[in-house]
Amino acid sequence: MRVLVSGGAGYIGSTVASACLDAGISPVILDSLVTGRREFADGRAFYEGDISDGPLIDKIFAENPDIEAVIHCAALIVVPDSVADPIGYYRANVAKSLEFADHLLRNGCTRMIFSSSASIYRTGEDHTVDEDSPLDPMSPYARTKAVCEAMFADIAATRPIKILSLRYFNPIGADPKMRTGLQLRRPSHALGKMIEAYEDRVPFQITGTGYPTRDGTGIRDYVHVWDLAAAHVEALRRFDDLTASVINLGTGAGTTVRELVEAFNRVVDRPIEVVEAPARPGDVAGAYTRSDRARSLLGWQARYSVEEGIRHSLEWARLRESRLG
């Protein structure tokens, strides 16, 4: 099988491509390199360009007529940036995805896996959600994902394409073989900030301590990026038999920011200190999945622990400069 991976030189897309390779599936990478890294496409079929570039998409399918599916990972993903630049986020994530879908249909593509997000959910009092929970995205980034899901559902209802939305919770870790990891040296999410605090020997800022969680800090479902990638492989294998259009990908366990700090300090040789700070624009209390749809439909469940995700993130952080410069 050959599969086109948009955003395949980014953190998640490149890891998905590696999992495909390990499973005997040939990835074709499409990435504009706005945030992706050329190094993550080394040794793989690679096209540099934008998902909205119709002639480029035509060229990819002409040169790879055996592409059987598309995994659409290309997107901008930083919540505070989306608050500051909603026009840029709607253009990149929604308008260009619409153009991409049109180009795929023109080239006879009938299968798409869409990288969606659990940030689109409205969470209940216990902070758990399943695929049928109400949606209430709280940031421009999250709304772009919800809009894309609705847009793709409308398209799939009348056009010859089936689209599966995989709603990711919070990816951590790196490819266990250290082929790829977070391309940013200073990522904005909690674990990235912890690693930064550890490296710089400064306190870690807990942003937001008044949430209605068990300790007042945000709660997330931290899922190892390799587990996410493995779910995509299973989705490709079972695609035509799937009876759902949406599947949550999470561990089923919630971890607060304070608990993440505790897990981090169990892994490192020198514990980090913490200070409290206000919540960032667009941040929410968070949620974790209570659904077993991924297990029942994909035969998938998360296998890596939070501590293993932290270890792999730290290992990648030590290697990153030598791999990416």
Side-chain angles (χ1 to χ4, degrees):
M1 176 186 287
R2 191 176 299 275
V3 59
L4 174 62
V5 185
S6 74
Y11 171 46
I12 294 175
S14 65
T15 310
V16 169
S18 293
C20 286
L21 280 168
D22 290 355
I25 299 168
S26 300
V28 177
I29 308 303
L30 169 62
D31 202 294
S32 65
L33 302 183
V34 169
T35 58
R37 295 294 301 236
R38 189 180 301 274
E39 295 92 335
F40 288 169
D42 284 350
R44 303 169 184 186
F46 173 56
Y47 294 83
E48 180 180 351
D50 198 279
I51 59 172
S52 64
D53 184 341
L56 176 59
I57 306 304
D58 294 345
K59 177 182 179 182
I60 291 171
F61 277 87
E63 294 180 354
N64 301 272
D66 53 346
I67 289 174
E68 296 183 38
V70 170
I71 300 175
H72 180 24
C73 297
L76 300 178
I77 63 169
V78 180
V79 169
D81 288 354
S82 77
V83 175
D85 182 23
I87 290 176
Y89 266 68
Y90 276 98
R91 178 179 294 120
N93 292 1
V94 178
K96 290 187 177 183
S97 288
L98 177 60
E99 294 299 316
F100 188 44
D102 193 29
H103 303 326
L104 295 179
L105 286 163
R106 185 176 62 253
N107 282 281
C109 175
T110 60
R111 304 175 183 89
M112 177 200 282
I113 296 173
F114 174 55
S115 297
S116 192
S117 170
S119 64
I120 68 176
Y121 284 119
R122 177 193 303 164
T123 60
E125 290 184 2
D126 64 355
H127 300 288
T128 66
V129 295
D130 62 25
E131 289 86 352
D132 297 318
S133 294
L135 306 185
D136 187 21
M138 299 299 291
S139 70
Y141 159 70
R143 280 188 282 275
T144 67
K145 290 296 185 178
V147 169
C148 277
E149 279 201 20
M151 177 176 74
F152 288 146
D154 287 342
I155 292 169
T158 60
R159 301 298 296 275
I161 187 169
K162 180 178 178 180
I163 301 174
L164 170 67
S165 292
L166 297 180
R167 292 176 180 164
Y168 306 164
F169 281 74
N170 295 78
I172 60 172
D175 175 1
K177 296 180 181 179
M178 294 295 125
R179 289 168 287 190
T180 58
L182 271 171
Q183 66 270 44
L184 301 174
R185 186 172 185 274
R186 300 293 193 183
S188 62
H189 60 60
L191 180 54
K193 291 294 186 183
M194 287 180 201
I195 294 174
E196 181 179 337
Y198 174 80
E199 292 175 341
D200 294 345
R201 295 177 178 266
V202 298
F204 165 72
Q205 285 193 343
I206 296 180
T207 52
T209 58
Y211 294 115
T213 61
R214 53 181 168 263
D215 62 19
T217 63
I219 194 166
R220 302 289 187 270
D221 190 333
Y222 292 104
V223 58
H224 198 291
V225 68
W226 191 254
D227 282 328
L228 281 183
H232 289 72
V233 171
E234 291 304 321
L236 286 170
R237 287 172 169 163
R238 304 174 187 227
F239 193 91
D240 291 341
D241 297 324
L242 292 175
T243 56
S245 60
V246 173
I247 299 177
N248 284 351
L249 295 182
T251 66
T255 302
T256 68
V257 178
R258 292 192 195 278
E259 291 165 349
L260 187 65
V261 172
E262 292 169 2
F264 187 91
N265 284 340
R266 287 194 294 269
V267 170
V268 295
D269 58 345
R270 170 175 41 81
I272 56 173
E273 298 179 1
V274 301
V275 295
E276 297 181 1
R280 303 175 306 172
D283 277 351
V284 295
Y288 57 99
T289 185
R290 63 173 178 265
S291 170
D292 64 354
R293 186 178 291 182
R295 183 182 304 181
S296 62
L297 296 184
L298 302 181
W300 175 91
Q301 61 183 355
R303 301 187 181 279
Y304 286 96
S305 68
V306 169
E307 285 83 357
E308 288 171 312
I310 293 169
R311 287 192 186 94
H312 286 146
S313 293
L314 286 163
E315 185 178 354
W316 172 257
R318 290 191 293 268
L319 294 171
R320 183 197 171 283
E321 296 302 319
S322 63
R323 299 290 174 84
L324 301 182

